[in-house]
Amino acid sequence: MKSKDLLKIVIDSLCLYAPVFEDGPIVQKSAYTSSPIMVQVSNRDTMKNVERVDFKYSAKTRKVTIGKNKYVLNKRVSTPFGKLRFVKNPNFIAKAKHPLYFSVIPVEKVLNKVSSKLKVSSAGKLSTVLYMTFRDEVPERGKDILNLLIDIYNQEAIHDKNLIASNTLSFVEKRMRHVVRELPVLDRKSVV
């Protein structure tokens, strides 16, 4: 469950490498449920580390404004921060009360942070039940991370079982063809 490959899929699916924040009067807080948009980075392996990019979103024009530049939703665009795509946030609940900004963080750094917050333990020595907890300041995000991790784990398990079944079937078919070719030779030897 704490596999780097599985966690990278979760990070990518939830765009955790480009978190959006709401600038509060005292401290900033995550805008996981208060930002109308999410930010996707096209090439996560070569993305630039960006601490803060202030933006505005207009629901009327469906455009994101960064400085003097305006970007439409659902289209890959070149920005000073790399190739990005702005998409609607499926977790949006209530409009932010303060200005929004996003950061761009290298996936490895996010992976370490997510991994450190995830606790997985067995219910017992012979048990197949796992206890999983994820501590996060945004309960909805923590729940989404755990649910997605379980879904991806189950999909990978099904894929692995299908691969094993396919390989076993292929092996049995090869053996059957080999036996079928040898049967006439064995029949002739038993007659003689």
Side-chain angles (χ1 to χ4, degrees):
M1 282 300 215
K2 287 187 87 167
S3 156
K4 284 187 175 188
D5 292 335
L6 293 180
L7 290 176
K8 280 183 179 179
I9 295 170
V10 170
I11 290 166
D12 189 46
S13 299
L14 297 176
C15 301
L16 298 178
Y17 53 77
V20 179
F21 297 96
E22 187 175 343
D23 217 1
I26 300 171
V27 295
Q28 82 274 356
K29 67 176 186 174
S30 173
Y32 188 76
T33 59
S34 61
S35 171
I37 60 125
M38 291 173 58
V39 182
Q40 296 176 339
V41 178
S42 292
N43 193 349
R44 284 161 294 291
D45 296 330
T46 61
M47 66 186 185
K48 299 174 183 175
N49 187 16
V50 181
E51 204 164 302
R52 182 183 176 118
V53 179
D54 293 298
F55 72 91
K56 291 179 184 171
Y57 174 72
S58 168
K60 186 178 177 182
T61 62
R62 295 179 42 109
K63 290 185 179 179
V64 174
T65 303
I66 300 173
K68 295 179 181 179
N69 299 317
K70 293 182 188 267
Y71 305 101
V72 296
L73 291 185
N74 301 318
K75 185 178 177 187
R76 295 204 187 283
V77 293
S78 289
T79 71
F81 320 103
K83 288 200 179 247
L84 305 177
R85 185 167 87 167
F86 302 100
V87 296
K88 286 196 133 215
N89 182 2
N91 309 301
F92 180 68
I93 295 173
K95 187 178 177 186
K97 295 176 180 148
H98 303 287
L100 296 170
Y101 71 93
F102 67 88
S103 298
V104 180
I105 307 166
V107 172
E108 284 301 318
K109 192 172 181 181
V110 177
L111 178 65
N112 292 335
K113 187 175 181 182
V114 169
S115 182
S116 71
K117 291 181 173 185
L118 177 65
K119 303 295 179 224
V120 180
S121 61
S122 177
K125 286 184 179 181
L126 301 175
S127 177
T128 58
V129 175
L130 293 176
Y131 292 120
M132 296 176 59
T133 56
F134 189 84
R135 296 207 179 266
D136 196 72
E137 60 272 9
V138 181
E140 294 87 353
R141 182 173 57 199
K143 185 176 115 184
D144 289 347
I145 288 170
L146 283 177
N147 286 336
L148 188 55
L149 182 60
I150 291 166
D151 286 348
I152 292 167
Y153 178 83
N154 287 336
Q155 289 171 12
E156 290 294 318
I158 290 168
H159 174 73
D160 288 348
K161 286 179 183 178
N162 288 341
L163 187 61
I164 290 169
S166 175
N167 289 342
T168 302
L169 181 61
S170 176
F171 173 76
V172 169
E173 286 175 345
K174 284 180 185 175
R175 291 298 302 151
M176 289 295 290
R177 284 193 296 271
H178 181 71
V179 168
V180 167
R181 281 194 308 265
E182 288 188 358
L183 275 177
V185 174
L186 290 174
D187 269 350
R188 277 187 254 133
K189 286 183 179 178
S190 64
V191 172
V192 175

